Amino acid sequence: MSMHRALTALGCAVAAVLATAWSAAPPTRPAPATTVRTHDGLMRGAAHDGYRTFQGIPYAAPPLGTLRWAPPRPAAAWSGVRDASRPASACPQPAGEVPGGSTDEDCLYLNVTTPDGAEPARPRPVIVWLHGGGFTTGAGSSYDAHRMAVRGDVVVVTVNYRLGALGFLAHRGLPGSGTFGLADQQAALRWVRAEIGAFGGDAHEVTLAGESAGGYGVCAQLVSPAAAGLFDRAIVQSGPCTGRADRPFAPSSVPLSTARAAGDDLAAKVGCGTGRDVLACLRRVDVSRLLAAQGSDQQPAYDTPLLPADPAAAIAAGRFRHVPVLIGNNHDEGNGWAAGIIQAGHPVNPGTWPDVVAAFFPAPGQAKAIVREYPVHRTDGGPVFGAVIGDADFACPTARTDGLLAAHVPLWRYEFADEHAPPLAPGTPPFPLGAQHAAELPYLFDLGGRPRELSAAQHRLADTMIDYWAHFARTGDPNGPSSPRWPRGPVLSLAPDHVLPTRTAPARHHCAFWSALH
């Protein structure tokens, strides 16, 4: 198996590993119900200890039949009282985060968690959460937001959006090519502006937040003209806006021409490449067949009406929504991928290291320079490989994004650095993973409804992070009366009992080397 094929397989392996952390909790006895009226009709959610949940709320029409690969349309109204006590289906995706996967295209739903006391007369700030998963996996319902809602006193909305080929197919003559999933995110934001007041949310204080692909979705909405006026603040977690297609571990976008070529390949794989009406043929293809034919990761297309420019170029030129931004990455982002590649049968040692680097950095001269900058000695190959992935794909692009955004807007940057963060999956990795990609999520959410086991110090860190995120959603500044001071400029290191600003993070991550290499 080639290294690139190993990477493709690893995409599924990582999703399967995370399934343990994300899979849905067992059903519990429903709490007393509560009813809310929206423009589309009445719905009954569930009341819990200190908060209420409303799940499976349609924000757009089901993208079925001729609406497959069409911009999202308004949801239909309903009569009677809609049951909103349980989540709707996840969007189509292979098995992994969603146990067994999903083939249900009727998936454009969102979930609202609101603290007791939030009501139309006393609205709370709103955080809209975009899940990660390489634009291929994930679901809004995987993120139980009750701790953020209750401690932060904010309303939290988690969103499903179309994924994979169903979310990002591009084809000539197809309006919305390459950006259907991003259009869904905008439809959800429009729903929030129109409806969140009924749930006790403040439609004029909306923060768009996301992690990994969800963080990159926030970047895309910052530069999309169609998202103007839909949110007031932005949080980007491990999804740097300056991602590049030749850095395969972090999300990025591609030119429309590249996305169309991928669409042509997909059509050919499912037997629609030579037909007279390719789109009609594609709309008849079974979902499971599309999932089998698509790539392991997807990328939005730019040079499109929704995304006229690559977010990296638009932000470098200052052409983005000028709102306050909270942005950050994890100290050991790449360790999970490095461990997975090693466990897939590709050891990293002094003899194999040059070939491993060349597989992911094939440009002439790059591999040799990286091997010199990041030498592998007898026993440290895995962490070194993880550092290369983390620096090249996350830490240094985040530092670059930080500098570009901070020239125009208030910006706060963090680095999550809990080296003993709870593992996201069972089993023993080949080396300690530290603060790997997604390790910060259990500090903000109960993934799949199951709280992770945190020490007392880690619980304090989780409370501090929620305080920062919620106060940022409330004022555009993360600083509040209950948390250590977070100054603008330095990077705030987030670790148990060790929350303090540091100016050393970019240097620690070899960013001068990566800047010169590029």
Side-chain angles (χ1 to χ4, degrees), residues 107-128:
C107 66
L108 298 186
Y109 297 87
L110 52 76
N111 314 287
V112 177
T113 304
T114 183
D116 285 351
E119 56 188 46
R122 300 179 60 222
R124 302 301 199 266
V126 180
I127 296 176
V128 178

Side-chain angles (χ1 to χ4, degrees), residues 323-327 398 401-414 472 476 478 486-490:
V323 299
V325 177
L326 188 158
I327 188 171
T398 298
T401 302
D402 174 348
L404 294 172
L405 293 174
H408 302 276
V409 300
L411 184 138
W412 286 264
R413 183 176 168 211
Y414 72 88
F472 179 79
W486 185 343
R488 286 169 59 182

